[in-house]
Amino acid sequence: MERLQEAIAQGAIDVASTNLSNGVAECQWVVVCTPIQQIAAHVVSAAKAAPQAMITDVGSTKESLVRQLASFPNLRFVGSHPMAGSEKSGCQHGSASLFDRRLVFVTPSTATPKTWTEEVRKFWEAVGAQSVAIDPGQHDLCVAQVSHLPHLIASALATSTDPHWIPMAASGWSSTTRVAAGDPALWTQILMENRTPVLQATRKFATILQAWVDALESGDGKKIEQLLEAGKQSRDALGNRHPSS
Amino acid sequence: MERLQEAIAQGAIDVASTNLSNGVAECQWVVVCTPIQQIAAHVVSAAKAAPQAMITDVGSTKESLVRQLASFPNLRFVGSHPMAGSEKSGCQHGSASLFDRRLVFVTPSTATPKTWTEEVRKFWEAVGAQSVAIDPGQHDLCVAQVSHLPHLIASALATSTDPHWIPMAASGWSSTTRVAAGDPALWTQILMENRTPVLQATRKFATILQAWVDALESGDGKKIEQLLEAGKQSRDALGNRHPSS
């Protein structure tokens, strides 16, 4: 309760309860923000206590969750995954502009009524986000590449640096390793949950890394420049959508 | 001359010349900012035309340069490497605060008079930087880890992402790949010049990556959490020295 009272004191929330059924009973909307392994059970409990509510979640993998909930056909649930937040946690790091122009994936199953998907998309757009509806499995492949692999790589890169050189690091190292400061327990859950797509993405990365090792070993400047050109072309495709990061 | 005239028009520089000897003849300080393979020759030419000047450079590898210049014992030269700048180039991206609190390596050889090293350190500190004197070979090992490997990794990561997922990328991918937008020709020179230390750093990274592949393959959550803890510990050691990156 201590962290909930802190959130009330800060004005981040109006009312707190640690009893899920009581907490959601009168809600029109329920957003489940619990660790990924617990989301399915919490969605089912919330739906029982608040059958009127539209339920979504913010879990960062979606196929397994949507599959788990498929046997509860009357759930008013559509999964979500907001691509927002940072390596910091706790309500003191909350921000009213957190979702501004951020992408939120909304992941209907084939059985989800289209009107529900639209309602959930409007919910996220009402807090400033841009939403996209995507198949849960495609979502997991996508985030393995654009979120989970970068986390893994940032972590491995930070670890590979000799501790006595870290004080000499500049903005390149700082950017490239930034997300490695994230919560290890949370990220273990995410990576375990999305293990197969992440492994696939990691293997693809390892192939490119091997091309780098080969080019460096043979001193092949032309090949190095080709590798750098490919990386630049890919990075430039993002444009300036995240200038502060 | 077009780019030089643009720099004059912007007030970035007062006088321009494409004749090195004429340009430096009356200078007290010469800072050679040319591609790395040409620095040694430009330092020697500048020293001939301006024997009164203290000469330094901003090349990002140092051992080979210092070795090349060792046969010119009367050069008033001490190498430098400012850890500042970005993936952007051109005088329109210049900034008066570019060196503020940035680290500048100053790399005397064993033959360099200490007073010269101190003069060059004071020069950089006068424009806002923090300086550190370091052996040229140690410098190259350090930057292989904190600058060159992150560049290579950022590039490989950007390349590994399927182009159709890039529009879905959020701040994690954006930060982790940021430096991959840098100039391929420039970075080919840097990586070729510092090839041996970079290869060594890349191999160390590849070993950690293999530990990740093994942990993912076997679904070893405990090992994944250990890997993430190690990465977080390393990243946290930097603190908030580069909050905007």
Side-chain angles (χ1 to χ4, degrees):
Chain A
M1 282 301 285
E2 197 183 302
R3 293 174 71 184
L4 291 174
Q5 276 158 1
E6 195 185 321
I8 291 174
Q10 285 191 19
I13 58 173
D14 299 312
V15 182
S17 171
T18 56
N19 180 309
L20 191 150
S21 300
N22 292 350
V24 303
E26 294 176 19
C27 291
Q28 293 302 309
W29 280 91
V30 175
V31 184
V32 178
C33 303
T34 49
I36 198 126
Q37 282 86 349
Q38 297 163 35
I39 295 174
H42 287 153
V43 168
V44 172
S45 301
K48 268 187 199 155
Q52 78 286 353
M54 180 62 79
I55 305 173
T56 189
D57 75 305
V58 297
S60 52
T61 62
K62 297 266 81 85
E63 189 173 30
S64 152
L65 174 66
V66 171
R67 208 188 310 116
Q68 285 172 70
L69 293 175
S71 48
F72 300 87
N74 294 321
L75 289 177
R76 283 174 56 85
F77 169 82
V78 189
S80 300
H81 176 202
M83 301 287 274
S86 75
E87 68 281 11
K88 293 168 185 153
S89 59
C91 69
Q92 69 273 29
H93 298 294
S95 156
S97 60
L98 180 64
F99 298 108
D100 280 4
R101 289 174 300 136
R102 293 308 181 115
L103 185 71
V104 179
F105 292 105
V106 176
T107 59
S109 73
T110 49
T112 305
K114 280 199 173 144
T115 53
W116 294 6
T117 306
E118 288 311 303
E119 271 190 66
V120 173
R121 291 185 63 179
K122 277 180 195 155
F123 170 85
W124 289 112
E125 289 177 3
V127 294
Q130 292 170 342
S131 74
V132 62
I134 188 173
D135 167 80
Q138 285 292 303
H139 165 274
D140 289 359
L141 289 174
C142 173
V143 294
Q145 288 193 23
V146 304
S147 171
H148 305 170
L149 179 64
H151 195 97
L152 184 167
I153 295 301
S155 174
L157 181 62
T159 301
S160 80
T161 311
D162 285 334
H164 63 284
W165 293 135
I166 289 175
M168 312 295 177
S171 59
W173 193 89
S174 176
S175 291
T176 315
T177 61
R178 181 178 62 84
V179 295
D183 178 25
L186 171 68
W187 275 91
T188 300
Q189 287 187 346
I190 293 171
L191 295 173
M192 283 294 280
E193 189 76 18
N194 208 28
R195 195 158 68 85
T196 306
V198 171
L199 186 55
Q200 193 182 324
T202 307
R203 285 198 178 117
K204 185 175 174 193
F205 176 88
T207 307
I208 297 164
L209 190 69
Q210 187 56 50
W212 268 102
V213 170
D214 294 345
L216 287 166
E217 270 175 356
S218 57
D220 186 345
K222 202 171 162 186
K223 178 68 184 169
I224 287 174
E225 192 160 353
Q226 282 170 1
L227 289 166
L228 289 168
E229 286 282 5
K232 179 173 170 57
Q233 194 182 334
S234 182
R235 182 55 176 77
D236 286 350
L238 185 67
N240 286 317
R241 292 203 298 113
H242 299 280
S244 66
S245 306
Chain B
M1 281 303 284
E2 197 181 303
R3 293 173 72 183
L4 291 173
Q5 276 157 0
E6 196 185 320
I8 291 174
Q10 284 191 19
I13 58 175
D14 299 312
V15 183
S17 171
T18 56
N19 180 308
L20 193 149
S21 299
N22 292 350
V24 303
E26 293 175 20
C27 291
Q28 293 304 309
W29 280 91
V30 175
V31 184
V32 178
C33 305
T34 48
I36 197 124
Q37 281 85 348
Q38 299 164 33
I39 295 174
H42 288 152
V43 167
V44 172
S45 301
K48 266 187 203 158
Q52 77 286 355
M54 178 64 78
I55 305 172
T56 188
D57 75 306
V58 298
S60 52
T61 63
K62 295 266 82 85
E63 190 173 29
S64 153
L65 175 67
V66 171
R67 207 187 313 117
Q68 286 172 68
L69 294 175
S71 48
F72 300 86
N74 294 322
L75 288 179
R76 284 173 55 84
F77 169 80
V78 189
S80 300
H81 175 204
M83 301 287 273
S86 75
E87 69 281 10
K88 294 166 184 153
S89 60
C91 69
Q92 70 273 30
H93 298 295
S95 158
S97 60
L98 180 65
F99 298 110
D100 280 4
R101 288 174 301 137
R102 293 307 181 118
L103 186 70
V104 178
F105 292 104
V106 176
T107 60
S109 72
T110 49
T112 305
K114 279 200 176 143
T115 51
W116 293 7
T117 306
E118 287 313 303
E119 271 189 68
V120 174
R121 291 186 62 178
K122 276 179 195 156
F123 170 84
W124 290 112
E125 290 178 3
V127 293
Q130 294 170 341
S131 74
V132 62
I134 187 172
D135 167 79
Q138 285 293 301
H139 165 274
D140 289 358
L141 289 173
C142 173
V143 295
Q145 289 194 22
V146 304
S147 172
H148 304 170
L149 179 63
H151 196 96
L152 184 167
I153 295 300
S155 174
L157 180 61
T159 301
S160 81
T161 310
D162 285 332
H164 63 285
W165 293 135
I166 289 174
M168 311 295 178
S171 60
W173 193 89
S174 175
S175 291
T176 315
T177 61
R178 180 177 62 82
V179 294
D183 177 24
L186 171 69
W187 276 91
T188 299
Q189 288 188 345
I190 293 171
L191 296 172
M192 283 294 281
E193 189 76 17
N194 207 29
R195 197 159 68 85
T196 306
V198 171
L199 185 57
Q200 191 182 325
T202 308
R203 286 199 176 116
K204 185 175 175 192
F205 176 87
T207 306
I208 298 164
L209 190 69
Q210 187 56 51
W212 267 103
V213 169
D214 295 345
L216 287 166
E217 269 175 356
S218 58
D220 187 345
K222 203 171 162 185
K223 178 67 184 170
I224 288 174
E225 192 160 352
Q226 282 170 1
L227 289 166
L228 289 168
E229 285 283 5
K232 179 175 170 56
Q233 195 183 331
S234 182
R235 182 55 176 78
D236 286 350
L238 185 68
N240 287 317
R241 289 201 301 113
H242 299 281
S244 67
S245 308

